[in-house]
Amino acid sequence: YFLRHARSRNYVSESEACKLESVPLDFGDYHPLKPITVTESKTKKMNRKGSTSSTSSSSSSSVMDPLSSVLDGTDPLSLFAAAADPVTVAPPTDGARRKRDKDESSAVGSDFEPWSSKRGEILARYTTTEKLSINLYMGSEKGKATTTGSAVSEKVRTRLEELDDLEEGSQKELLNLTQQDYMNRIEELNQSLKDAWSSDQKVKALKIVIQCSKLLSDTTVIQFYPSKFVLITDILDTFGKLVYERILSMCVDNRVSLPDNFSPESVNDTAKETCLNWFFKIASIRELIPRFYVEAAILKCNKFLSKTGISECLPRLTSMIRGIGDPLVAVYARAYLCRVGMEVAPQLKESLNKNFFDFLLTFKQIHGDTVQNQLVVQCVEIPLYLTLYSPAIDWILQCIAYHAPDVLLTEMMERCKKLGNNALLLNSVMSAFRAEFIAARSMDFIGMIKECDESGFPKHLLFRSLGLNLALADPPENDRLQILNEAWKVITKLKNPQDYINCAEVWVEYTCRHFTKREVNTVLADVIKHMTPDRAFEDAYPQLQSIIQKVITYIYDFALLFSVEKFLPFLDMFQKESVRVEVCKCIMESFIKHQQESTKDPVILNALLHICKTMHDSVNALTLEDEKRTLAALINGFIKMVSFGRDFEQQLSFYVEARSMFCNLEPVLVQLIHSVNQLAMETRRVMKGNHSRKTAAFVRACVAFCFITIPSLSSIFTRLNLYLHSGQVALANQCLSQADAFFKAAVSLVPEVPKMISVDGKMRPSDAFLLEFLCNFFSTLLVVPDHPEQGVLFLVRGLLNVIQDYTWEDNSDDKVRIYTNVLHLLSAMTQEAYIYHVDKVDSNDTLYGGDSKFLAEISKLSETVVSQILDHLKTLGKEETLKRQSQLALYFFNTILAHGDLRNNRLNQLSVNLWNLAQKHGFADTKTMVKTLEYIKRRGKQPEMSHFTDLALRLPLQSRT
């Protein structure tokens, strides 16, 4: 009944009527893309008696800035600028400026690698399985009892007794500790230090620090010494910070703290006395090593006493280290002094240089009899022993080399040359000095490496350090090939696979940076030769991965990369599946990032298909969804980059092959379906819609590919949308029977839609997704011609039957909303000419030509749909569903308003009834009702729309009450 009185539509005239009115614009005066002219405005505000403040402004342009006019001259940015006007700010004195510039130039910048970044590496590298011992301080009960005395003399006496207790050995030795136990004990001491300090037991805190410092003289488990140094100096750093902050807090005057660059004159006498007291306590420590470390820890406190305190103390502490007999203990003491010195006075480089030159003078001790005897007792080889020095020497040299002139670095290099067995020093020089400095003198360093004694420090480690520098900076061009030859002569002779791969990994980058694929191929072949025997590659996957990463970083032209003969055999060494997949992902990421144009190169395609197949085959039931998405995205990126140009048949063959290879990754199948649909549409574009027999057959093959592939997908909404999309493509290519097959498959799939679906890992109701799909489906069905053997609107009827039988949620109105959208479709179908068509496809408006039987069938359908809507509105008459009834009544009213012919009295009365029902129980939105009524009145003023005016008079507005 509804569509017997559907409103006749003239879509062309409606479109013209809805266009925005064009207004002529004089482009000479204004244009939105015209460059902005910045003008300077001067604003004066004068307050006059009996008048408001007036504003006068002068501008160099007559164009009014809309933002400025809104702000009325009170632009917040201008206010900030005025507040910081350089004219009003007093300029700093020359002395202050020079001081600030000096501080800025002497401060350590972000390009200086801090000690904290080395800490973890040292702890991980220098470990032991031997048992360790530690001496713990045991608190004195006598001291604890008498510390509470109020008299000053009693307090002094107590503290002296506590210090005597320390000398008398009030400590407990813990033996046979594992490395982890030892580290836990050190952490306990660190916490005890903080607890003692917070409970105002300063002497106890000092005792703990002294006790910890003594541990640094113990080298009984020598290979653990670097890690022990890291742990103990953490406690020393904590102590130094606590003392400094304590004295700094005593300098607060009238709640005003000292500035960062304070002078000793601004420190009060109490703070100075406390500071001196700390230094006197430390000076009374009898043993050299704890006395040195504890004083170095509070070196910064010299700032409270005098301007030259730090600069005077550093040379003295440097000289103190000469009294330490063990060269390993001494070098770490020097490292700690450099560390503290760089924190508190980085500008005092002279002391740091003196520290290092002192070390050079005592360097021969390392090879002395005392050390050799100690190593024999502990069964430690010389090469291992020498590596214990590396962290300390590297740090010392890093401190010295920071912003140092080349002259100083050259001098230090010459001094190292003069020492015998200087491989250890040479390695540290190459680790600490600037890469540019090393690279410029590469041949000099190679000469020094050749002269080193192989027995002490392995040469391959020296070449590795040199290679690391050459990866960061380029050597002179004329020397590059000779450098590679000299280095590789040594590297290729290494028998130990681990030593070999550690060096080769570094030099591969140098080779890729400066040479052609020929040299890269030679290096890869040599790596394969060394790592294949006895499956040595299984212990070197990280290094092999690093080599692949470096190769594809520098050779990102994949045609060139796959022409490197040994590249694919190199990949075959990755036998472990997880590592192999990571390497394949790395290669595919590089391809997607660097490949700018599509490719059909058979070498690239075969190689990348093999790599993608490897990634695909790694997927199993335990693979995480995130991993599947990552792999699918990489494979899809590859598929999108493959193009055979106008050879569409070859393109389709590639997609068929890809489907067979990647059947376990659903997103890849989806991409292949979209790609094949795109291929069909590209064929249509080339043929301009006029298919030949050959292209028609090809398009049908594309359609068949999609029809076969879609059922293999698990996501039901993905299948529904692809059926619809592929059906549209088939329709556009005049494959009518194939399009019907897609649409029938979509209709038959709707009953299988579950009530809940997973969206981003969470379960959501599916009704909203189904409603969206059906609305899209209805839009397509308008232009789908009827099958001559299937009856009128067979697809629409089938879809309505499915919707009727589908089990909807009790509290859902989606079924009625769908029926209302069906009315929109049926109304459009009654028009003489449809609003849109598919090119070269005759829709039902052409096939039926407005035949009365066809319109009668549509009317029958509409009557059924309207009765379903009205029946549903009746069922919502209960109190708890009245709001839903109001919303649906208004929704249906708007449908009649848009698509019905309201000159018919019965339809007019139905619309009035729906309007009243929407307002009946006070649930209608007043604003919406008012706007709807205003719209009806506006429509009534249009030609031949006077019946809308009459309708407006019959639509009352009711208040909520």
Side-chain angles (χ1 to χ4, degrees):
Y1 168 81
F2 171 79
L3 291 175
R4 290 179 193 168
H5 305 287
R7 181 164 65 89
S8 297
R9 308 288 290 272
N10 186 332
Y11 293 115
V12 176
S13 61
E14 285 184 31
S15 176
E16 289 294 328
C18 293
K19 282 184 178 178
L20 293 174
E21 183 182 356
S22 60
V23 179
L25 183 64
D26 186 355
F27 291 105
D29 295 337
Y30 168 77
H31 190 275
L33 300 182
K34 185 178 179 180
I36 298 172
T37 304
V38 180
T39 62
E40 181 183 359
S41 298
K42 295 180 180 178
T43 303
K44 292 183 180 179
K45 288 194 177 182
M46 297 170 288
N47 293 328
R48 298 175 182 172
K49 188 175 181 180
S51 68
T52 57
S53 61
S54 61
T55 304
S56 64
S57 69
S58 62
S59 174
S60 61
S61 171
S62 60
V63 180
M64 175 66 74
D65 177 11
L67 297 181
S68 297
S69 63
V70 173
L71 292 165
D72 191 25
T74 56
D75 174 17
L77 296 180
S78 300
L79 294 177
F80 285 132
D85 190 348
V87 177
T88 60
V89 178
T93 63
D94 289 343
R97 185 184 291 111
R98 280 196 301 270
K99 183 175 185 300
R100 186 181 68 232
D101 292 345
K102 182 180 178 183
D103 289 341
E104 288 176 357
S105 65
S106 63
V108 175
S110 58
D111 56 337
F112 183 81
E113 186 181 4
W115 174 260
S116 56
S117 66
K118 299 176 180 292
R119 181 182 182 279
E121 182 186 347
I122 295 172
L123 289 174
R125 181 179 175 187
Y126 297 98
T127 59
T128 183
T129 55
E130 295 188 31
K131 298 300 181 181
L132 303 161
S133 63
I134 187 172
N135 292 325
L136 288 178
Y137 163 69
M138 305 301 293
S140 169
E141 295 300 322
K142 177 179 65 175
K144 289 180 183 176
T146 58
T147 305
T148 57
S150 57
V152 176
S153 59
E154 189 69 22
K155 189 174 183 179
V156 172
R157 186 184 305 112
T158 300
R159 291 193 172 179
L160 289 173
E161 288 172 353
E162 284 183 341
L163 287 172
D164 288 340
D165 283 345
L166 177 63
E167 299 300 331
E168 291 166 6
S170 57
Q171 50 192 320
K172 176 184 177 182
E173 185 174 14
L174 298 178
L175 303 173
N176 297 323
L177 298 176
T178 64
Q179 178 181 320
Q180 189 57 50
D181 292 338
Y182 189 91
M183 295 172 73
N184 292 340
R185 295 292 182 183
I186 295 293
E187 183 55 39
E188 287 175 16
L189 285 173
N190 201 354
Q191 189 59 45
S192 299
L193 168 64
K194 295 175 184 176
D195 294 343
W197 192 272
S198 60
S199 60
D200 204 29
Q201 298 182 53
K202 304 296 189 293
V203 172
K204 180 180 177 182
L206 178 60
K207 287 182 177 182
I208 292 173
V209 175
I210 293 171
Q211 203 65 47
C212 291
S213 302
K214 284 185 175 181
L215 296 174
L216 290 174
S217 61
D218 176 25
T219 57
T220 49
V221 184
I222 202 164
Q223 62 267 37
F224 184 65
Y225 192 85
S227 292
K228 183 197 291 189
F229 171 80
V230 169
L231 297 170
I232 300 299
T233 51
D234 283 349
I235 297 178
L236 290 166
D237 292 342
T238 302
F239 176 71
K241 185 179 178 182
L242 291 172
V243 173
Y244 183 82
E245 290 176 352
R246 164 69 177 157
I247 299 172
L248 187 64
S249 67
M250 299 173 71
C251 300
V252 177
D253 226 1
N254 297 325
R255 295 188 177 181
V256 178
S257 58
L258 288 177
D260 290 338
N261 295 321
F262 63 87
S263 63
E265 290 77 17
S266 56
V267 179
N268 58 46
D269 292 341
T270 306
K272 285 185 176 180
E273 185 180 350
T274 304
C275 185
L276 278 170
N277 188 27
W278 276 109
F279 280 109
F280 290 153
K281 285 179 184 175
I282 292 166
S284 67
I285 299 173
R286 297 174 187 173
E287 295 185 34
L288 172 61
I289 289 178
R291 184 167 73 250
F292 163 80
Y293 273 107
V294 179
E295 183 174 353
I298 66 165
L299 181 65
K300 191 176 180 180
C301 295
N302 279 285
K303 290 172 64 177
F304 297 108
L305 301 177
S306 69
K307 291 181 179 179
T308 59
I310 294 176
S311 59
E312 292 170 356
C313 281
L314 275 174
R316 180 172 55 80
L317 289 171
T318 302
S319 300
M320 284 174 65
I321 300 174
R322 296 175 181 174
I324 301 176
D326 190 311
L328 184 65
V329 177
V331 77
Y332 275 94
R334 295 184 192 282
Y336 186 67
L337 186 59
C338 286
R339 180 171 140 200
V340 175
M342 286 298 286
E343 288 176 6
V344 302
Q347 71 277 11
L348 299 176
K349 285 291 186 70
E350 295 81 6
S351 298
L352 299 181
N353 296 344
K354 181 175 181 292
N355 194 358
F356 180 69
F357 293 142
D358 272 7
F359 167 69
L360 292 182
L361 292 173
T362 59
F363 182 71
K364 293 182 179 179
Q365 282 184 305
I366 294 175
H367 302 282
D369 292 340
T370 307
V371 172
Q372 297 297 328
N373 294 336
Q374 185 183 16
L375 298 183
V376 170
V377 171
Q378 296 198 34
C379 301
V380 175
E381 298 291 333
I382 277 286
L384 175 60
Y385 175 70
L386 291 179
T387 60
L388 302 178
Y389 284 81
S390 293
I393 301 176
D394 289 353
W395 177 257
I396 295 170
L397 286 171
Q398 179 185 326
C399 296
I400 293 171
Y402 183 67
H403 289 178
D406 283 359
V407 177
L408 175 63
L409 300 182
T410 306
E411 179 192 350
M412 295 177 64
M413 187 172 148
E414 292 300 324
R415 290 205 182 195
C416 291
K417 274 185 182 180
K418 295 175 182 177
L419 294 172
N421 295 330
N422 62 348
L424 172 63
L425 277 176
L426 191 58
N427 189 63
S428 294
V429 165
M430 289 190 288
S431 300
F433 282 16
R434 291 191 303 274
E436 294 79 9
F437 179 88
I438 304 294
R441 298 162 178 79
S442 298
M443 292 307 299
D444 292 340
F445 277 98
I446 285 178
M448 294 169 65
I449 292 172
K450 285 182 176 180
E451 294 172 5
C452 289
D453 184 5
E454 180 71 33
S455 62
F457 197 91
K459 284 187 180 180
H460 67 84
L461 294 181
L462 298 176
F463 274 107
R464 186 177 190 278
S465 297
L466 179 60
L468 289 171
N469 282 283
L470 297 181
L472 300 173
D474 297 335
E477 191 169 348
N478 296 333
D479 296 340
R480 290 175 183 174
L481 183 57
Q482 187 179 356
I483 291 169
L484 179 61
N485 288 334
E486 293 291 345
W488 210 259
K489 281 179 189 174
V490 175
I491 296 169
T492 196
K493 290 177 182 177
L494 294 173
K495 302 299 182 186
N496 185 314
Q498 204 62 40
D499 292 343
Y500 171 84
I501 197 64
N502 285 336
C503 275
E505 173 203 356
V506 173
W507 282 89
V508 162
E509 183 168 3
Y510 174 78
T511 310
C512 293
R513 274 173 70 113
H514 302 297
F515 298 98
T516 64
K517 70 169 189 177
R518 177 172 161 272
E519 287 79 9
V520 173
N521 190 62
T522 303
V523 170
L524 293 182
D526 195 59
V527 173
I528 294 171
K529 177 184 173 183
H530 278 78
M531 302 308 294
T532 304
D534 301 324
R535 300 179 68 86
F537 54 76
E538 292 182 344
D539 298 322
Y541 283 138
Q543 293 91 334
L544 295 174
Q545 277 182 271
S546 176
I547 289 175
I548 287 289
Q549 181 67 59
K550 287 166 182 172
V551 170
I552 62 178
T553 299
Y554 290 97
I555 308 178
Y556 44 79
D557 178 352
F558 275 72
L560 179 62
L561 178 66
F562 290 125
S563 67
V564 176
E565 184 184 346
K566 294 298 181 180
F567 182 75
L568 291 177
F570 190 92
L571 292 182
D572 292 337
M573 285 197 292
F574 295 98
Q575 300 287 318
K576 188 177 179 182
E577 186 181 64
S578 59
V579 180
R580 190 179 181 86
V581 171
E582 285 301 316
V583 171
C584 291
K585 284 164 64 176
C586 187
I587 295 171
M588 292 309 302
E589 285 168 2
S590 177
F591 176 79
I592 293 168
K593 178 181 178 181
H594 294 109
Q595 188 73 20
Q596 300 297 324
E597 298 177 354
S598 55
T599 181
K600 60 178 181 179
D601 187 325
V603 175
I604 295 178
L605 296 188
N606 288 332
L608 291 184
L609 275 174
H610 172 70
I611 289 170
C612 290
K613 177 68 172 169
T614 301
M615 294 194 299
H616 169 270
D617 292 348
S618 69
V619 175
N620 54 43
L622 301 178
T623 306
L624 298 175
E625 288 300 319
D626 281 348
E627 178 69 7
K628 288 182 183 178
R629 276 194 292 270
T630 301
L631 297 177
L634 293 172
I635 296 173
N636 285 344
F638 163 61
I639 289 171
K640 291 176 187 175
M641 293 304 298
V642 176
S643 173
F644 291 89
R646 287 291 186 90
D647 191 350
F648 293 159
E649 291 184 353
Q650 183 67 30
Q651 189 82 35
L652 183 59
S653 298
F654 170 77
Y655 291 143
V656 171
E657 183 183 1
R659 181 180 63 183
S660 66
M661 294 177 74
F662 309 126
C663 55
N664 289 334
L665 288 173
E666 191 161 304
V668 178
L669 296 179
V670 172
Q671 177 59 45
L672 288 171
I673 293 168
H674 284 306
S675 297
V676 170
N677 279 329
Q678 187 177 358
L679 186 62
M681 294 305 291
E682 181 66 15
T683 307
R684 178 181 181 273
R685 186 189 66 79
V686 170
M687 300 302 295
K688 299 180 179 177
N690 299 309
H691 283 299
S692 64
R693 182 178 297 179
K694 182 178 181 181
T695 58
F698 175 75
V699 167
R700 285 195 292 273
C702 292
V703 170
F705 176 98
C706 298
F707 193 76
I708 292 169
T709 310
I710 293 173
S712 63
L713 305 176
S714 62
S715 170
I716 193 161
F717 278 102
T718 302
R719 277 186 280 161
L720 283 171
N721 287 311
L722 286 174
Y723 274 135
L724 178 57
H725 182 218
S726 301
Q728 291 166 345
V729 170
L731 198 62
N733 283 283
Q734 300 117 52
C735 301
L736 301 184
S737 59
Q738 286 84 355
D740 283 348
F742 278 114
F743 297 140
K744 284 180 184 177
V747 170
S748 63
L749 193 58
V750 170
E752 298 178 22
V753 174
K755 296 293 178 291
M756 305 291 287
I757 58 171
S758 177
V759 180
D760 295 331
K762 297 180 180 179
M763 298 305 292
R764 305 284 189 201
S766 63
D767 291 357
F769 297 95
L770 184 57
L771 178 61
E772 180 186 2
F773 166 76
L774 290 174
C775 289
N776 291 335
F777 199 2
F778 294 147
S779 301
T780 302
L781 289 179
L782 174 64
V783 293
V784 177
D786 279 344
H787 195 285
E789 299 176 2
Q790 297 288 345
V792 178
L793 302 180
F794 74 101
L795 285 173
V796 177
R797 290 176 184 279
L799 188 55
L800 284 174
N801 290 334
V802 167
I803 294 169
Q804 176 66 29
D805 296 339
Y806 187 79
T807 306
W808 300 88
E809 294 290 335
D810 294 336
N811 60 347
S812 170
D813 298 318
D814 287 331
K815 182 178 179 180
V816 175
R817 294 184 186 278
I818 291 170
Y819 279 147
T820 310
N821 284 317
V822 171
L823 290 179
H824 301 171
L825 169 64
L826 296 175
S827 173
M829 283 182 165
T830 62
Q831 306 302 316
E832 290 185 12
Y834 291 171
I835 188 171
Y836 48 81
H837 294 86
V838 176
D839 188 33
K840 295 183 174 57
V841 174
D842 291 332
S843 299
N844 286 338
D845 57 341
T846 304
L847 294 178
Y848 291 107
D851 184 75
S852 58
K853 291 183 180 179
F854 173 67
L855 295 178
E857 288 294 329
I858 294 178
S859 294
K860 286 181 183 178
L861 278 177
S862 68
E863 286 177 12
T864 305
V865 171
V866 169
S867 64
Q868 291 281 349
I869 295 172
L870 294 177
D871 288 345
H872 186 78
L873 284 172
K874 289 178 184 177
T875 62
L876 298 177
K878 300 175 184 177
E879 186 175 352
E880 63 272 13
T881 56
L882 291 176
K883 185 174 182 179
R884 287 166 54 198
Q885 185 189 56
S886 171
Q887 292 171 342
L888 283 179
L890 183 60
Y891 187 60
F892 189 26
F893 171 82
N894 287 329
T895 296
I896 295 175
L897 201 63
H899 299 282
D901 185 356
L902 291 171
R903 287 173 293 194
N904 177 270
N905 291 333
R906 294 179 64 186
L907 199 57
N908 195 300
Q909 184 59 47
L910 176 60
S911 64
V912 173
N913 292 341
L914 289 169
W915 176 271
N916 293 330
L917 181 62
Q919 299 185 98
K920 184 176 181 180
H921 300 286
F923 287 104
D925 180 49
T926 306
K927 288 183 180 179
T928 304
M929 304 302 283
V930 170
K931 288 182 179 179
T932 305
L933 192 55
E934 289 175 355
Y935 166 75
I936 295 171
K937 291 176 180 177
R938 284 198 305 274
R939 289 288 302 274
K941 295 177 183 178
Q942 296 176 2
E944 299 182 5
M945 292 290 180
S946 58
H947 56 284
F948 273 88
T949 304
D950 298 334
L951 176 65
L953 296 174
R954 300 180 62 195
L955 301 178
L957 278 175
Q958 298 177 6
S959 64
R960 285 181 178 276
T961 56

